[in-house]
Amino acid sequence: MIELFYYPSPNGFKAAIMLEECELPYRVTPIDITRGEQFDPEFLAVSPNNKIPAMVDHDAPGGPLPLFESGAILMYLAERSGRFLPIDLHQRYAVIKWLFWQVGGLGPMAGQAHHFRAYAPEQVPYGIKRYTDEVNRLYGVMDRALADTGFLADEYSIADMAAWPWVTTWERQGQRIEDFPNVGRWYDAIAARPAVVRAKALGTERQADREGYRFLYGQTAGSVQAMSDHKGETHE
Ligand SMILES: N[C@@H](CCC(=O)N[C@@H](CS)C(=O)NCC(=O)O)C(=O)O
């Protein structure tokens, strides 16, 4: 059985969507990142970066396989199920390049836009403009790519599953979906997929409250170690 370590946030949705789409059996272990559960030593053993999503395939060939990083999880599930990542070299790399574009670009930049627009304790106009503009540029890249095809790499794939959850929050990123009609059409088509509806039902995104901020922002190597030590002690 596949165990998904999950919190209902854009990166969590990526893995949930793929698990629902590829129909491999799985169970969810909730990790409340707004309450510091990501610092639990047992979770860190699977996800040393203290972030969700993470996963263990307890039935992987050769023994249980732990994974962190949403891109690696999507690629693994595609390989395991033989779905949503084509075998043909050209088609496969059409998917992989858009997957990397999402995990290295759209996700982090949109995350920073959320942070500076909604969560930063002080208004930083330069930070707001820098990340809002960059996300706007990235939406333009997607819109051009989607002009001639229904999906980022022709057929619906793990690249779309990675990008879609980060477009659900376009308003919070300061974007107008009407300015990107191809993205809007693509967004609606994916939103209507039954597997996506089921994945979204796994939980709605929680807005971190002030207590949650304490766990999510201002982390350093030392603070993560201290939290992990504290969690380890309170378990014993
Ligand atoms: N590069 C990672 C990013 C994952 C990520 O940022 N996860 C957030 C939730 S969306 C998280 O777990 N944050 C908890 C923390 O930073 O302590 C991936 O793609 O999996």
Side-chain angles (χ1 to χ4, degrees):
M1 175 77 89
I2 288 171
E3 182 176 10
L4 173 67
F5 296 88
Y6 180 76
Y7 178 85
S9 66
N11 288 309
F13 287 136
K14 296 179 195 175
I17 290 172
M18 177 56 174
L19 281 161
E20 287 295 332
E21 291 282 11
C22 75
E23 296 175 316
L24 290 172
Y26 71 100
R27 67 169 187 263
V28 171
T29 298
I31 300 292
D32 190 342
I33 58 173
T34 72
R35 293 290 174 269
E37 291 176 8
Q38 68 272 41
F39 305 112
D40 200 305
E42 281 167 29
F43 178 67
L44 287 173
V46 177
S47 182
N49 197 33
N50 64 268
K51 290 182 192 288
I52 63 90
M55 207 194 89
V56 177
D57 184 351
H58 293 281
D59 304 319
L65 183 87
L67 278 175
F68 66 99
E69 279 299 319
S70 58
I73 290 170
L74 290 174
M75 286 181 74
Y76 175 76
L77 293 173
E79 237 176 84
R80 188 92 161 94
S81 64
R83 301 185 65 191
F84 304 109
L85 179 60
I87 301 221
D88 171 82
L89 184 76
H90 293 261
Q91 290 175 3
R92 189 175 183 84
Y93 276 88
V95 171
I96 290 174
K97 67 189 179 188
W98 280 107
L99 179 65
F100 276 58
W101 175 86
Q102 194 289 320
V103 294
L106 180 66
M109 294 301 118
Q112 293 299 330
H114 286 173
H115 184 81
F116 280 100
R117 296 179 66 86
Y119 302 125
E122 55 187 277
Q123 279 272 315
V124 183
Y126 181 80
I128 292 173
K129 180 163 168 37
R130 174 172 163 79
Y131 292 110
T132 304
D133 285 354
E134 175 61 359
V135 172
N136 189 266
R137 186 188 72 79
L138 291 166
Y139 274 50
V141 172
M142 257 195 299
D143 205 59
R144 283 193 298 280
L146 291 166
D148 302 323
T149 60
F151 298 104
L152 288 170
D154 228 358
E155 299 277 298
Y156 179 58
S157 73
I158 53 173
D160 301 293
M161 297 179 210
W164 186 86
W166 280 99
V167 176
T168 58
T169 45
W170 74 78
E171 276 167 333
R172 270 206 273 154
Q173 298 156 19
Q175 308 304 321
R176 285 161 32 97
I177 201 80
E178 315 85 87
D179 294 345
F180 304 100
N182 301 317
V183 174
R185 187 176 32 79
W186 164 89
Y187 178 84
D188 289 343
I190 295 176
R193 294 180 67 88
V196 174
V197 174
R198 286 198 300 276
K200 286 286 282 182
L202 271 184
T204 46
E205 190 176 0
R206 291 231 322 256
Q207 295 286 313
D209 52 18
R210 215 154 264 289
E211 176 71 359
Y213 289 0
R214 185 165 77 78
F215 294 111
L216 288 171
Y217 306 131
Q219 294 174 7
T220 62
S223 75
V224 169
Q225 186 63 54
M227 282 296 296
S228 167
D229 290 346
H230 172 71
K231 293 259 170 194
E233 280 160 19
T234 49
H235 278 317
E236 281 158 16

